[in-house]
Amino acid sequence: KWLQELNLGGVILLGGSCAEIAYRTQQLQSWAKTPLFIAADIEEGVGQRFTGATWFPPPMALSSIATKNLSLARKYAQDMGDITAREALAMGINWVLAPVTDVNNNPDNPVINVRSFGDNPQVVADLATSFIQGCQFHPVLTTAKHFPGHGDTTTDSHLHLPQVSHSLERLQEIELFPFQQAIAQGVDSVMTAHLLVSAFDPINAATLSFLILTQLLRERLNFSGLIVTDALIMGGVAKYASPKEIAVKALKAGADILLMPENPETAVNSIEQAIDEGILSEARIDESLGRIAQAK
């Protein structure tokens, strides 16, 4: 019903066997009016989520190798991207929600930790871009996440809204650097973080911030690809606004894709209402549609 009547843009898959998912993705595409993005959080390979595929060690294992042999770690990261993309495509997954591009410089981080390529911005940038290079051998989308950097937090944004209070200089030097390198490498999408980064925007979470998504990511960092929100059911945003407000605020901020809204029908209706009331412009929607069409 959602695919046929709402013409949704995509589906995120969270588990199952490879054989089941290969069948399911064909079924989903057959129901869709417009070819779907089919995405998955496969930061450690397809086997992390789907039984029967390759499951790699966490990315932080590669940063340990990098301390002794950076070129070998880069090769492994590229191979990891290559194999992940190839196996994803074999199952009908066309959007790899990886690599994690956060610098995990806080050992108490409850949500990023070993998902990151380490605590050194240069090493994170080197390995994340190598992973992207590996994926680029195949027609899949890649994702740098979680912008503008979720590494130095002690709060899990699945539950609450973490706060980052560093200076602009420090954020530029550590948090933003790997994202800049990923953008230079041609990453297809950037996923937002449900974070309050006061130096950029003291009021809005990054996912809902025009200052962060449009002025910083689009205009200052010259990113022209897809901006996708982190899951909108997460406590980091869901506790602070209604599902209707979240959908509209994220689009106003500059997001192109709303990932996992609580109810797609509610999100679509709230966007239509916001356009009718002049809160959102059709031109703003058309911008995102253009980027989505290009990516597809």
PDB file of all heavy atoms in Angstrom, residues 59-73:
ATOM      1  N   PRO A  59      35.186  -1.733  11.951  1.00  0.00           N
ATOM      2  CA  PRO A  59      36.159  -0.833  11.327  1.00  0.00           C
ATOM      3  C   PRO A  59      37.337  -0.464  12.218  1.00  0.00           C
ATOM      4  O   PRO A  59      38.452  -0.273  11.727  1.00  0.00           O
ATOM      5  CB  PRO A  59      35.307   0.390  10.985  1.00  0.00           C
ATOM      6  CG  PRO A  59      33.955  -0.188  10.712  1.00  0.00           C
ATOM      7  CD  PRO A  59      33.794  -1.289  11.723  1.00  0.00           C
ATOM      8  N   MET A  60      37.117  -0.368  13.537  1.00  0.00           N
ATOM      9  CA  MET A  60      38.220   0.026  14.413  1.00  0.00           C
ATOM     10  C   MET A  60      39.385  -0.965  14.363  1.00  0.00           C
ATOM     11  O   MET A  60      40.528  -0.605  14.638  1.00  0.00           O
ATOM     12  CB  MET A  60      37.736   0.217  15.848  1.00  0.00           C
ATOM     13  CG  MET A  60      38.722   1.024  16.683  1.00  0.00           C
ATOM     14  SD  MET A  60      38.108   1.449  18.317  1.00  0.00           S
ATOM     15  CE  MET A  60      37.110   2.883  17.938  1.00  0.00           C
ATOM     16  N   ALA A  61      39.120  -2.211  13.974  1.00  0.00           N
ATOM     17  CA  ALA A  61      40.210  -3.185  13.822  1.00  0.00           C
ATOM     18  C   ALA A  61      41.214  -2.709  12.775  1.00  0.00           C
ATOM     19  O   ALA A  61      42.426  -2.940  12.901  1.00  0.00           O
ATOM     20  CB  ALA A  61      39.644  -4.546  13.439  1.00  0.00           C
ATOM     21  N   LEU A  62      40.709  -2.034  11.739  1.00  0.00           N
ATOM     22  CA  LEU A  62      41.604  -1.554  10.687  1.00  0.00           C
ATOM     23  C   LEU A  62      42.481  -0.398  11.163  1.00  0.00           C
ATOM     24  O   LEU A  62      43.611  -0.253  10.707  1.00  0.00           O
ATOM     25  CB  LEU A  62      40.797  -1.128   9.458  1.00  0.00           C
ATOM     26  CG  LEU A  62      40.050  -2.244   8.729  1.00  0.00           C
ATOM     27  CD1 LEU A  62      39.397  -1.704   7.472  1.00  0.00           C
ATOM     28  CD2 LEU A  62      40.970  -3.396   8.379  1.00  0.00           C
ATOM     29  N   SER A  63      41.963   0.413  12.099  1.00  0.00           N
ATOM     30  CA  SER A  63      42.801   1.514  12.606  1.00  0.00           C
ATOM     31  C   SER A  63      43.958   0.951  13.417  1.00  0.00           C
ATOM     32  O   SER A  63      45.043   1.542  13.470  1.00  0.00           O
ATOM     33  CB  SER A  63      41.980   2.491  13.446  1.00  0.00           C
ATOM     34  OG  SER A  63      41.670   1.959  14.708  1.00  0.00           O
ATOM     35  N   SER A  64      43.764  -0.202  14.036  1.00  0.00           N
ATOM     36  CA  SER A  64      44.846  -0.849  14.780  1.00  0.00           C
ATOM     37  C   SER A  64      45.938  -1.316  13.812  1.00  0.00           C
ATOM     38  O   SER A  64      47.126  -1.160  14.080  1.00  0.00           O
ATOM     39  CB  SER A  64      44.277  -2.032  15.568  1.00  0.00           C
ATOM     40  OG  SER A  64      45.217  -2.506  16.487  1.00  0.00           O
ATOM     41  N   ILE A  65      45.509  -1.861  12.656  1.00  0.00           N
ATOM     42  CA  ILE A  65      46.474  -2.247  11.617  1.00  0.00           C
ATOM     43  C   ILE A  65      47.181  -1.009  11.080  1.00  0.00           C
ATOM     44  O   ILE A  65      48.395  -1.023  10.830  1.00  0.00           O
ATOM     45  CB  ILE A  65      45.758  -3.009  10.489  1.00  0.00           C
ATOM     46  CG1 ILE A  65      45.224  -4.339  11.019  1.00  0.00           C
ATOM     47  CG2 ILE A  65      46.681  -3.232   9.293  1.00  0.00           C
ATOM     48  CD1 ILE A  65      44.290  -5.055  10.073  1.00  0.00           C
ATOM     49  N   ALA A  66      46.437   0.089  10.946  1.00  0.00           N
ATOM     50  CA  ALA A  66      46.998   1.321  10.371  1.00  0.00           C
ATOM     51  C   ALA A  66      48.138   1.895  11.205  1.00  0.00           C
ATOM     52  O   ALA A  66      49.018   2.573  10.671  1.00  0.00           O
ATOM     53  CB  ALA A  66      45.898   2.367  10.211  1.00  0.00           C
ATOM     54  N   THR A  67      48.136   1.648  12.507  1.00  0.00           N
ATOM     55  CA  THR A  67      49.223   2.179  13.349  1.00  0.00           C
ATOM     56  C   THR A  67      50.570   1.562  12.966  1.00  0.00           C
ATOM     57  O   THR A  67      51.609   2.165  13.166  1.00  0.00           O
ATOM     58  CB  THR A  67      48.959   1.904  14.843  1.00  0.00           C
ATOM     59  OG1 THR A  67      48.853   0.495  15.053  1.00  0.00           O
ATOM     60  CG2 THR A  67      47.686   2.591  15.315  1.00  0.00           C
ATOM     61  N   LYS A  68      50.536   0.351  12.392  1.00  0.00           N
ATOM     62  CA  LYS A  68      51.784  -0.309  11.986  1.00  0.00           C
ATOM     63  C   LYS A  68      52.000  -0.262  10.483  1.00  0.00           C
ATOM     64  O   LYS A  68      53.126  -0.208  10.007  1.00  0.00           O
ATOM     65  CB  LYS A  68      51.772  -1.776  12.453  1.00  0.00           C
ATOM     66  CG  LYS A  68      51.677  -1.948  13.962  1.00  0.00           C
ATOM     67  CD  LYS A  68      51.869  -3.409  14.340  1.00  0.00           C
ATOM     68  CE  LYS A  68      51.890  -3.579  15.859  1.00  0.00           C
ATOM     69  NZ  LYS A  68      50.587  -3.738  16.447  1.00  0.00           N
ATOM     70  N   ASN A  69      50.879  -0.299   9.706  1.00  0.00           N
ATOM     71  CA  ASN A  69      51.014  -0.363   8.251  1.00  0.00           C
ATOM     72  C   ASN A  69      49.785   0.278   7.615  1.00  0.00           C
ATOM     73  O   ASN A  69      48.785  -0.398   7.338  1.00  0.00           O
ATOM     74  CB  ASN A  69      51.159  -1.830   7.826  1.00  0.00           C
ATOM     75  CG  ASN A  69      51.513  -1.968   6.350  1.00  0.00           C
ATOM     76  OD1 ASN A  69      51.201  -1.105   5.534  1.00  0.00           O
ATOM     77  ND2 ASN A  69      52.165  -3.070   5.993  1.00  0.00           N
ATOM     78  N   LEU A  70      49.862   1.582   7.371  1.00  0.00           N
ATOM     79  CA  LEU A  70      48.713   2.324   6.849  1.00  0.00           C
ATOM     80  C   LEU A  70      48.312   1.839   5.466  1.00  0.00           C
ATOM     81  O   LEU A  70      47.123   1.708   5.171  1.00  0.00           O
ATOM     82  CB  LEU A  70      49.011   3.824   6.819  1.00  0.00           C
ATOM     83  CG  LEU A  70      47.888   4.712   6.254  1.00  0.00           C
ATOM     84  CD1 LEU A  70      46.607   4.576   7.075  1.00  0.00           C
ATOM     85  CD2 LEU A  70      48.324   6.173   6.192  1.00  0.00           C
ATOM     86  N   SER A  71      49.286   1.539   4.607  1.00  0.00           N
ATOM     87  CA  SER A  71      48.938   1.121   3.240  1.00  0.00           C
ATOM     88  C   SER A  71      48.190  -0.215   3.255  1.00  0.00           C
ATOM     89  O   SER A  71      47.268  -0.421   2.463  1.00  0.00           O
ATOM     90  CB  SER A  71      50.186   1.036   2.359  1.00  0.00           C
ATOM     91  OG  SER A  71      51.082   0.066   2.858  1.00  0.00           O
ATOM     92  N   LEU A  72      48.561  -1.115   4.153  1.00  0.00           N
ATOM     93  CA  LEU A  72      47.852  -2.387   4.267  1.00  0.00           C
ATOM     94  C   LEU A  72      46.425  -2.158   4.787  1.00  0.00           C
ATOM     95  O   LEU A  72      45.472  -2.752   4.276  1.00  0.00           O
ATOM     96  CB  LEU A  72      48.604  -3.335   5.206  1.00  0.00           C
ATOM     97  CG  LEU A  72      47.990  -4.730   5.368  1.00  0.00           C
ATOM     98  CD1 LEU A  72      47.984  -5.483   4.044  1.00  0.00           C
ATOM     99  CD2 LEU A  72      48.744  -5.528   6.433  1.00  0.00           C
ATOM    100  N   ALA A  73      46.298  -1.281   5.770  1.00  0.00           N
ATOM    101  CA  ALA A  73      44.963  -0.974   6.311  1.00  0.00           C
ATOM    102  C   ALA A  73      44.085  -0.357   5.227  1.00  0.00           C
ATOM    103  O   ALA A  73      42.895  -0.677   5.121  1.00  0.00           O
ATOM    104  CB  ALA A  73      45.086  -0.032   7.508  1.00  0.00           C
TER     105      ALA A  73
END
